Amino acid sequence: GAGVSQSPSNKVTEKGKDVELRCDPISGHTALYWYRQSLGQGLEFLIYFQGNSAPDKSGLPSDRFSAERTGGSVSTLTIQRTQQEDSAVYLCASSFLGGINEQFFGPGTRLTVL
Amino acid sequence: GESVGLHLPTLSVQEGDNSIINCAYSNSASDYFIWYKQESGKGPQFIIDIRSNMDKRQGQRVTVLLNKTVKHLSLQIAATQPGDSAVYFCAETDTGRRALTFGSGTRLQVQP
């Protein structure tokens, strides 16, 4: 498709389990971002990729959170030993790299930790 | 820390009226600002952006105003329609950072 896609759309897991969330950015977009949106809240930055490297990981809340990007395209956000406070919508965005450009968002993955 | 905030959590307007959503930011280094619209169950959708070398930018039915002196951003929607009902977020960043800092959002309710 033409837009950012994310999978799964919904994920329910048990506390302590690991989860992987996937993002497919818009073709040609070299910058990729992960954000988290808790219920009724604004978006919180997690990590930014420039190509396959992550020059800004400042938003990752703990060492249980990690992300990688391969081939300058698909990115995976992994949360280990999930906690109930990890429940949120995880949003991915992509943009062209040059200068500051509009970030296009995917539909998000709603994560529920029981 | 640096933050972006909104004055009104909910704005209710009549269909056909003009809407104004306000946003204050605190990072004086911010040089790029965006307004996003988010409908229930969807990701944020770009509405309009503005760079710090401008104080006004117009799109289709929308205008963004930037006042760098008081660090204030506003979104004006002309002839508001029921389809405009959503949560609106302002966001800002600077050239060196790229990651967006979002406000907490304003819910716009358009009454028919």
Side-chain angles (χ1 to χ4, degrees):
Chain A
V4 177
S5 61
Q6 293 186 246
S7 61
S9 56
N10 282 283
K11 177 70 176 179
V12 179
T13 190
E14 294 180 346
K15 178 181 174 181
K17 300 282 189 180
D18 297 352
V19 295
E20 286 189 351
L21 312 180
R22 177 187 168 108
C23 172
D24 282 271
I26 293 172
S27 178
H29 281 188
T30 51
L32 186 148
Y33 311 79
W34 284 98
Y35 293 87
R36 177 169 71 173
Q37 186 173 30
S38 300
L39 184 63
Q41 299 297 311
L43 283 78
E44 170 192 16
F45 167 74
L46 298 178
I47 186 170
Y48 151 59
F49 284 94
Q50 177 178 317
N52 291 336
S53 64
D56 189 351
K57 305 179 183 179
S58 62
L60 294 178
S62 75
D63 58 9
R64 296 187 295 105
F65 287 72
S66 63
E68 65 176 12
R69 189 179 185 196
T70 56
S73 181
V74 172
S75 177
T76 302
L77 177 69
T78 301
I79 309 174
Q80 296 178 309
R81 305 180 302 281
T82 53
Q83 304 295 313
Q84 289 184 333
E85 60 263 29
D86 299 335
S87 296
V89 176
Y90 289 82
L91 289 152
C92 175
S94 69
S95 72
F96 291 108
L97 183 59
I100 298 180
N101 293 288
E102 173 192 347
Q103 295 181 21
F104 295 83
F105 281 83
T109 293
R110 180 174 296 278
L111 175 65
T112 302
V113 182
L114 302 177
Chain B
E2 302 291 1
S3 65
V4 177
L6 295 170
H7 298 303
L8 299 173
T10 303
L11 177 64
S12 185
V13 300
Q14 292 294 125
E15 181 177 358
D17 286 352
N18 296 332
S19 302
I20 300 176
I21 301 173
N22 295 302
C23 178
Y25 65 96
S26 59
N27 184 358
S28 56
S30 295
D31 55 13
Y32 182 60
F33 305 85
I34 306 180
W35 281 100
Y36 282 95
K37 171 186 180 183
Q38 187 175 29
E39 297 173 293
S40 181
K42 297 183 179 180
Q45 176 188 356
F46 173 87
I47 301 174
I48 192 168
D49 60 359
I50 189 168
R51 299 183 188 273
S52 59
N53 60 351
M54 303 173 67
D55 53 20
K56 179 180 181 179
R57 191 165 187 221
Q58 289 184 292
Q60 185 177 10
R61 286 200 305 119
V62 294
T63 300
V64 56
L65 299 177
L66 174 63
N67 186 330
K68 294 180 290 293
T69 301
V70 296
K71 299 192 188 72
H72 186 267
L73 192 67
S74 68
L75 176 69
Q76 300 178 0
I77 305 174
T80 313
Q81 303 169 358
D84 295 327
S85 294
V87 177
Y88 289 79
F89 293 97
C90 62
E92 53 88 14
T93 191
D94 61 77
T95 307
R97 185 156 189 266
R98 301 186 65 86
L100 293 171
T101 299
F102 282 82
S104 55
T106 291
R107 181 174 299 280
L108 177 65
Q109 297 177 334
V110 182
Q111 309 297 329

